[in-house]
């Protein structure tokens, strides 16, 4: 009995990876997804910078969601730049924390160096290598969301728009959220921010609401108390992308393509 030869196999390619030096001889993956039709045309595209964008992190989930959003016309087609993190507490947290946090997480507090690397190495690589249109945004969840809020506050011009999904603002007793309130009192005008919280307790909710309140009309607060920290990101990503990269389509309400923004009212 003869067996037919197996069909030739072709790899599935969804992007390309750059290896960039980081610090002390370390390197990081920078994974790039190019939208449908990029190779055949000359069109320029906006860029989504994805924190925790390693191949074993959120890159595949988010690139798939951007493709689906573009297919429906819910959000624009985008170049996705997935930025790998390794020691997330060192790279995504800006302070050493309180005594308990310092003992539990001794490497925390070096986010300024990670942000400098993004500004001076990652963004120039992307703009020099790909057909970008000059518009960008950054997105991340949990500790990456904390980093995004910190960047929104400390270096707002680094990105055009921001999305912080369930940011870990509980760090150091909501210190970053309290600092955001001080910036608002000084009259600083922040860029647009999409920010969410789920069923994670009153401390987390209060921190997110403080940041949203500080953002004023630039902030889009989306509470999802029916979700948890473990379930929110996949569900909220389509809304975040619609906020970051909106289109001109007039959608039928039955599709459910809505971004349910609230203002940042803080409960006493």
């Amino acid at each position: 009995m003869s067996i037919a030869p197996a069909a030739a196999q072709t790899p599935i390619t969804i992007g390309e990876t750059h290896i960039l030096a980081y610090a002390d001889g370390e390197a990081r993956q920078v994974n790039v997804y190019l939208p449908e039709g990029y190779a055949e045309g000359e069109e320029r595209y906006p860029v989504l910078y994805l924190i925790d964008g390693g191949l074993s992190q959120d890159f595949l989930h988010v690139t798939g969601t951007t493709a689906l959003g573009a297919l429906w016309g819910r959000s624009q087609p985008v170049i996705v730049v997935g930025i790998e993190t390794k020691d997330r507490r060192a790279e995504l947290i800006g302070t050493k924390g309180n005594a308990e946090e310092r003992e539990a997480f001794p490497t925390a507090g070096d986010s300024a160096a990670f942000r400098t690397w993004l500004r001076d190495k990652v963004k120039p690589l992307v703009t020099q290598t790909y057909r970008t249109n000059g518009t960008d945004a950054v997105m991340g969840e949990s500790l990456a969301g904390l980093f995004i809020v910190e960047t929104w506050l400390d270096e707002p011009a680094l990105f055009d728009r921001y999305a912080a999904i369930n940011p870990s603002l509980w760090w150091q007793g909501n210190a970053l959220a309290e600092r955001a309130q001080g910036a608002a009192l000084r009259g600083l005008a922040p860029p647009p921010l999409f920010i969410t919280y789920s069923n994670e307790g009153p401390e987390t909710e209060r921190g997110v609401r403080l940041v949203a309140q500080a953002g004023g009309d630039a902030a889009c607060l989306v509470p999802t108390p029916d979700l948890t920290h473990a379930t929110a990101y996949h569900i909220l990503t389509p809304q975040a992308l619609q906020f970051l990269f909106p289109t001109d389509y007039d959608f039928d309400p039955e599709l459910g393509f809505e971004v349910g923004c609230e203002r940042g009212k803080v409960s006493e």
Side-chain angles (χ1 to χ4, degrees):
M1 177 179 177
S2 62
I3 299 176
Q9 297 176 346
T10 302
I12 298 172
T13 302
I14 68 164
E16 49 201 40
T17 296
H18 302 263
I19 304 298
L20 277 188
Y22 180 65
D24 299 328
E26 294 185 29
R28 294 287 184 277
Q29 287 181 358
V30 176
N31 302 304
V32 180
Y33 164 81
L34 300 174
E36 182 73 22
Y38 181 94
E40 291 77 33
E42 297 297 326
E43 183 178 352
R44 293 184 171 273
Y45 295 88
V47 181
L48 173 66
Y49 290 90
L50 175 65
I51 310 300
D52 290 333
L55 297 179
S56 62
Q57 296 175 314
D58 297 318
F59 183 71
L60 297 178
H61 145 230
V62 172
T63 55
T65 308
T66 65
L68 187 61
L71 181 66
W72 278 98
R74 183 176 186 177
S75 53
Q76 299 172 47
V78 296
I79 298 169
V80 181
V81 179
I83 300 160
E84 179 189 35
T85 52
K86 289 189 177 179
D87 185 343
R88 297 177 71 246
R89 294 181 179 90
E91 296 158 6
L92 302 178
I93 299 176
T95 66
K96 294 294 184 183
N98 58 36
E100 183 179 349
E101 290 164 343
R102 286 196 298 272
E103 182 176 355
F105 309 113
T107 65
D110 204 20
S111 65
F114 190 72
R115 187 162 34 253
T116 297
W117 178 71
L118 290 180
R119 183 201 323 114
D120 296 346
K121 301 296 183 182
V122 178
K123 294 194 74 175
L125 168 73
V126 172
T127 56
Q128 292 165 16
T129 308
Y130 300 100
R131 297 196 311 272
T132 64
N133 70 0
T135 301
D136 62 25
V138 63
M139 184 170 74
E141 180 260 357
S142 193
L143 285 180
L146 178 71
F147 173 81
I148 285 166
V149 172
E150 183 186 73
T151 304
W152 175 79
L153 184 61
D154 289 351
E155 195 174 343
L158 188 56
F159 302 99
D160 297 313
R161 290 187 160 223
Y162 292 75
I165 312 297
N166 291 18
S168 299
L169 288 164
W170 49 263
W171 181 262
Q172 201 174 346
N174 275 330
L176 186 62
E178 299 286 354
R179 187 154 66 83
Q181 286 281 293
L185 292 174
R186 294 196 301 275
L188 301 181
L193 171 70
F194 180 91
I195 189 167
T196 73
Y197 69 86
S198 297
N199 186 7
E200 302 168 76
E203 183 75 1
T204 295
E205 175 182 344
R206 180 171 175 80
V208 170
R209 286 190 174 275
L210 283 171
V211 171
Q213 185 180 67
D217 291 341
C220 174
L221 170 63
V222 178
T224 56
D226 55 320
L227 302 178
T228 69
H229 199 75
T231 60
Y233 198 14
H234 289 72
I235 294 172
L236 290 170
T237 301
Q239 276 194 65
L241 292 170
Q242 186 176 350
F243 175 85
L244 296 173
F245 304 105
T247 67
D248 295 329
Y249 286 94
D250 185 14
F251 296 110
D252 188 320
E254 292 184 358
L255 291 175
F257 290 173
E258 298 178 355
V259 180
C261 299
E262 294 184 11
R263 297 276 71 84
K265 182 179 179 181
V266 181
S267 301
E268 297 298 331

